[in-house]
Amino acid sequence: MIAILSTGAVNSVQDLGRTGYLDAGVGRSGTMDAPALEIANLLVGNDKGAAGIEVALFPFRLRFEADAVFALAGADCPATLGDREVSGWWAMNAKAGDTLTLGLPRSGARALLAFQGGLEVPLVLGSRSTDLKSAFGGLEGRGLNRGDILSLVDGPRKPLKMDGGYGADPSSLRGRPTGKDDVIVLRVLPSAEYAAFPAAAIARFHDTDWLITNDANRMGYRLSGPELSLTRKLELFSHGIMPGTVQVPPNGQPIIQLAEANTCGGYPKIANVIEADLWKLAQAPAGARLRFVMTDRDAAVTALRQERAFMAELAASVSLMRGWM
Amino acid sequence: MTEVVSPRLSMEGAGAILLDAAGAVFSDDVQARIWAVAAQMLGVPGIAETVPGMNNLMIVFDPLTIAPDRVERLLCDAWQTVVPDAVAGSAVDIPVVYGGTTGEDLVSLADHAGLSVDEVVRRHSEAVYSVAAVGAMPGFVYLSGLDPQLAMPRRAVPRMKVEIGSVIIGGAQAGIMPCTAPSGWHIIGRTEVPLFDPLRDPPAACRPGDRIRFRVVEVKR
């Protein structure tokens, strides 16, 4: 069991999301940084989709009430287990009574914690992820509060044989952590109304370093920059939208839909951030700047294939390491 | 039989394709084809989800399992060849208390329509609505079939909180709030029928193709 000692209500239990219910109006949810959760899960020997904790508000502290194996991934944040330092992208043993503390990230915005066995919360519509907007899933459909107790799924525990643990190097997948002033580059594909925007608006869309406003959460990010206007107003019927869809509402300031996006929307869509780059948004805090670079569908599929290959290789080397470490 | 128009296809990332067959006004014939194509595509290996919208359809798939251009070809073929059958949707009865504090816009909607309150209630409750799509929020039904004279542009400033069960009109559409949420639609009544329960499967009370009728329980003045 795990006791939450300090947290914010935006920190929540998440897995890789809920699929199969978009046509009932139920969105994906799941962690904003799926590759990070997947890596953390693989490091502790879980299936990739086990439920962990997505931490977006720091400092975050929990106490292990029993021995456990955990991994930290995602944002680069200073972390300690008791008086020992904890590295990111690393799995280690925790003893009953140990306190894990995550401090404000040096880079990135969301840390992911995975625990061997995975968090035990009820499956709701096939997923353990919290849908904060609609208040179901996860722990009672809400974010974490101080004093919450989380259980781990029952099963045989295999503590790491070497107490220092082991880690993964995600740099081939994610590059180097970005600095505070770095512009985050997102690859996009054109979406339905891209061609309806005048050339000047398209140029502004690609040439601007868009500011992520404070109106940024798991549903989506509102951006600020020069106005993107259509030559004539488009009246669209409600249609399906995806995490990564970039909409342009009448005020000309784009919105990027994210993990808890509504399943349908009506605003014109200029582009979609490719699936393989969505994690970059999870790690982009309010105040960061974004740039949209056009790519093509082959490149977007290739990027996903590389991600899949990285995970397969990691899973194989973790099972080797777990044999002797 | 209406002519089958060529739908417009666009990308929503590498793993989703939007088929848009909308004309200037909503078409029930096009929507029947949307449902039939959705059902057919859902049987294709690699297709994860189909999301019917209003005269459009989003297909979600794993692009590492099925190539996106193959999805496009299958989708175009299905659109041309599918036979929309009469959807055997369920009939759903929605009892409504019209007006009063839980239907606070009934009078202003009647004024806007140039009709009496009783006439608005009669027209709203005598129509048979078709569930065109379910989406936006969990369990929200997009209904076609509203009497055009009851149409009213949405409020300029949305209410921050519209209660669950509110029976609403926004533009030319009728709806029901499946949860308490912000909305710019006009509230004409309230129902106690639950439209969404995440602990049920399926979680939404209505599916595309269902037919809804509003039944008058009471008209409050």
Side-chain angles (χ1 to χ4, degrees), chain B residues 97 122 130 159 196:
Chain B
V97 173
R122 189 184 70 78
S130 169
R159 289 191 175 93
F196 181 78

Side-chain angles (χ1 to χ4, degrees), chain A residues 161-223:
Chain A
K161 290 174 193 156
M162 258 172 73
D163 215 33
Y166 52 73
D169 176 6
S171 58
S172 68
L173 203 57
R174 300 164 71 101
R176 305 205 152 279
T178 50
K180 286 261 183 283
D181 300 322
D182 292 345
V183 175
I184 295 160
V185 177
L186 301 168
R187 290 169 288 182
V188 296
L189 292 173
S191 37
E193 285 73 49
Y194 183 78
F197 283 89
I202 292 294
R204 276 200 291 276
F205 175 65
H206 290 298
D207 295 344
T208 300
D209 293 336
W210 294 94
L211 177 75
I212 302 178
T213 67
N214 287 324
D215 200 352
N217 56 36
R218 286 176 43 82
M219 288 181 66
Y221 292 177
R222 284 182 187 271
L223 307 183

